[in-house]
Structure formats: structure tokens, C-alpha cells
Amino acid sequence: MKILNTLMTVLAVTILVSCSSKNNRTVDDILNSPFRVYQISGFQGPNIDINKDSLAQFLVALHYDIPLSDIENELNWSAETSEKNIDALIENRLLEKDGDDLQPALGIFTLERGKLMELKARNVANEIADSVYSRLPEIMAIHDEAHISQRHDFRELSLFYLSNVVLDNFQIRQVEEAFLNQERPLRNGSRYYLGIVEDDLAGNTEPYGMYGNMGLFWSDSIGISVYGNTRTSSNPGWDNYDDMYIHVFDEHDTELITRTMPDLFFPTLLDILNRNRPDFEATYQELNFDEEISFEEFFIFWYHWIYTEATDVLIARDIIQETQNEMFYYQVAVYF
């Protein structure tokens, strides 16, 4: 019955996506919907801030094939303003123009697409969670080698280890290089992934409860970052690390979490991703992302849904201990 319910949900969302690929949203609706701009990887981004001047909403409206004149009308853009913004987006390779046709050149992760991606992530996420659990003794042995183990037991650090280290921030470069085998998109002289994600407003977390890593401070010798999924306005002060407990990984420990631990799990992860690649590519085409962005850019965003689902599975199984406010602050050595 559970499988049947899941299939029915997938079917319902697929129908919703199909209907939404036609124009059933207005500019006013888009302006009043919560869209967030996400950059993944790369130290430099666009030369323009698409969070400003309704540029993100403009791109979403184009995704829905709303006529340019209707968009300009709703945004109160003059012909000169429209031309200026279009030129800037094209220059930054965030928009493509073919004759009179304007097409976004970044991922537009609408609610319809995001819900289906969340559902379709579950099978592979369960497979990843099972594999993490099977390698748990080896992962714990690496923790036992770390100096930080003298101050914190494995369970206290389990969210950081089993999500950020073996799946996300310290692993994603290998996913790019060995699974995608493609450089990041080149935009205005820098390589990075950029997408617009519609928030599902499911709670006080980031869209779809997605976990992410963010650097807060960097010097010649140390870096301070935070990992979690409540980097939101509902969690004020989340970026003020001065008031937080910071877990310190010295040079020896930094080597373990940036190389030894992710390297241990990566062959298993790569095998899972390779076996599921046909399904990944089918979803890429099914949701019409092939009309906007490369498979590689689509997947690197979807991978965030996948490892988030895997993390939640491990939390539900009590293998990962949730941290207070779902946030983990830590310091690493820059040179090691």
C-alpha cells in the first residue's frame, strides 16, 4: 500500500508538472511566491545580483512562457529598463536569446519540479543511507584516530560526518570530477552553478529541508563554517559564529575529514550514482530541464535533494543525532 501511495503521489505531481509546463501562472503570482537564488561551488558569481530588481522573478516568468509585454507591464519596466536587464542577463550567460525568444539559461526549480525531485530522490537516498550504515564501523574508526575524539564522541559529530563529510561539502568535488566528468558552467569568467529554487514553505528550514555548508570566516590559517538547514530569517543570528560553540578540527583532523573519510565512502557512492544514472537522465528530460541547462548543472542541484533525503533517513533511523537548531559550527585548518 505504501508503494502504491508513493506511485500515486509521483503520478499526481507528474501531472501537475505537465500542466505547469504550460502557462498557468501570472507574473503577480510569481512576484508573491518565495523564490531563492542559490549558487553552488565557485568563489565568484554573476556580475549582477538577480535577487534585485525582480530579475529572478523575470527569469521565472520567462520559464512559464509569459509574454515579455505582460512581464514588463507587471514589473513597470520601460523598454529601456527591459533592454538593459536583458542585455545584462545575456552577458552573464543567465539568459539566451534566439530571435524574439528568451530562454533562461539557469535552473528554474519551481515547486512542481521540486516536489517531484524530492519524491524521485527517495529510492537512491535509501540506497545511499543503507551504504553509509554498512560502512559505519570504518567511518567511526577514522573518527577514533582524530584528536577531536578526545573531546567529542562520534554521535555528537554524526550529522557533520555522515552528511557534510561523506556526502556533501567534502565529497561534492569528487562527484563532479568522477561522476559528472564535466567542468562547471563558465559564466563571466568564473565557473559555478546557479539556480532559482521556489521555497516549499514546509517549515523553518531551507527549501525542502536541504542541508548546506557555508563559510563564515577565512584567514591564512583557519576557516570557520556552518552546516545545517536553518540558515533562514526564522533563525536569526545563525551566521554569528561568535555566539556559537565551534568544533575545532586541527591540521591532523582536517586531513581526515577532507580526504580520508570522504575517500573511504566515495567508491560506494560513485557506484550507486552510476547505476542510477539512466533514471537521473530520464528525470532531467521528463522535467524539461534539457531545454534550460546541462544535465551536469541539473544533477548537481538534484544531488542536494538526494543527500538531504539520505540524511533524513539516517536521522529517522537514529544513526545521525540531530543538533540544536540543526546547525553545526566548525573550524578547520587552511594549510594541512
Side-chain angles (χ1 to χ4, degrees):
M1 182 62 71
K2 184 176 180 181
I3 294 175
L4 178 61
N5 288 339
T6 300
L7 289 174
M8 292 297 291
T9 303
V10 170
L11 178 61
V13 176
T14 303
I15 294 171
L16 181 60
V17 170
S18 176
C19 294
S20 298
S21 63
K22 303 166 186 175
N23 179 18
N24 70 334
R25 294 186 77 165
T26 65
V27 181
D28 184 62
D29 171 55
I30 292 167
L31 287 171
N32 288 288
S33 296
F35 287 96
R36 298 181 61 173
V37 178
Y38 280 91
Q39 179 178 326
I40 298 175
S41 305
F43 295 102
Q44 294 180 331
N47 291 327
I48 55 173
D49 184 356
I50 64 172
N51 285 297
K52 297 180 179 178
D53 302 322
S54 300
L55 292 178
Q57 288 79 5
F58 173 71
L59 290 166
V60 174
L62 291 176
H63 162 79
Y64 280 106
D65 294 325
I66 298 175
L68 180 59
S69 58
D70 291 356
I71 303 173
E72 291 173 327
N73 223 20
E74 194 67 40
L75 296 179
N76 293 316
W77 283 4
S78 65
E80 292 77 14
T81 298
S82 184
E83 182 179 5
K84 174 179 69 74
N85 288 332
I86 288 171
D87 287 346
L89 289 167
I90 291 174
E91 180 183 348
N92 282 271
R93 295 192 61 187
L94 301 175
L95 181 67
E96 294 178 352
K97 185 175 184 180
D98 183 10
D100 292 331
D101 182 56
L102 294 170
Q103 180 69 41
L106 76 167
I108 309 293
F109 297 86
T110 61
L111 196 60
E112 303 87 9
R113 282 173 157 180
K115 286 293 185 183
L116 188 56
M117 289 166 65
E118 186 176 45
L119 286 168
K120 284 178 169 281
R122 288 179 183 169
N123 285 340
V124 67
N126 274 287
E127 191 175 353
I128 290 171
D130 289 342
S131 297
V132 169
Y133 179 71
S134 70
R135 305 301 296 271
L136 202 55
E138 297 160 274
I139 296 171
M140 294 177 72
I142 295 173
H143 162 73
D144 291 341
E145 294 176 23
H147 298 152
I148 199 171
S149 66
Q150 299 169 17
R151 303 184 301 277
H152 301 282
D153 63 28
F154 180 86
R155 187 162 173 77
E156 290 177 77
L157 309 180
S158 56
L159 174 68
F160 176 72
Y161 283 150
L162 303 183
S163 187
N164 199 26
V165 173
V166 303
L167 298 179
D168 183 14
N169 185 56
F170 297 101
Q171 192 70 277
I172 202 163
R173 171 67 79 171
Q174 295 196 92
V175 171
E176 290 181 54
E177 293 175 351
F179 176 66
L180 297 179
N181 195 27
Q182 185 78 27
E183 286 191 280
R184 300 164 184 167
L186 179 63
R187 297 182 172 110
N188 60 284
S190 182
R191 293 190 179 276
Y192 59 89
Y193 303 104
L194 195 73
I196 300 172
V197 180
E198 186 170 11
D199 199 334
D200 62 341
L201 298 177
N204 295 326
T205 67
E206 297 181 51
Y208 308 96
M210 279 192 283
Y211 294 89
N213 188 86
M214 180 173 285
L216 301 176
F217 172 81
W218 211 253
S219 73
D220 290 340
S221 57
I222 65 165
I224 297 175
S225 298
V226 60
Y227 187 72
N229 65 358
T230 58
R231 298 172 299 174
T232 66
S233 58
S234 63
N235 184 18
W238 66 265
D239 55 350
N240 184 6
Y241 59 88
D242 289 332
D243 295 334
M244 307 299 177
Y245 180 81
I246 299 174
H247 301 81
V248 178
F249 295 86
D250 61 19
E251 291 185 9
H252 170 265
D253 293 359
T254 299
E255 173 83 17
L256 294 179
I257 64 172
T258 59
R259 294 182 181 171
T260 308
M261 197 176 285
D263 287 353
L264 168 73
F265 187 70
F266 183 67
T268 302
L269 177 62
L270 181 61
D271 178 63
I272 293 171
L273 297 181
N274 281 330
R275 282 190 283 102
N276 284 276
R277 187 171 189 127
D279 291 335
F280 298 152
E281 292 175 343
T283 299
Y284 168 64
Q285 295 179 356
E286 177 187 341
L287 298 183
N288 300 317
F289 278 102
D290 55 332
E291 298 176 4
E292 295 173 355
I293 53 175
S294 67
F295 169 76
E296 291 76 19
E297 188 159 23
F298 158 75
F299 180 78
I300 212 67
F301 272 93
W302 192 19
Y303 181 64
H304 285 65
W305 269 264
I306 291 169
Y307 74 66
T308 290
E309 286 287 318
T311 300
D312 287 340
V313 169
L314 292 167
I315 290 173
R317 296 179 185 177
D318 200 32
I319 297 166
I320 287 179
Q321 175 180 278
E322 288 187 277
T323 59
Q324 187 176 8
N325 294 324
E326 292 79 43
M327 302 292 272
F328 183 94
Y329 297 82
Y330 65 97
Q331 175 182 306
V332 294
V334 172
Y335 297 111
F336 54 89

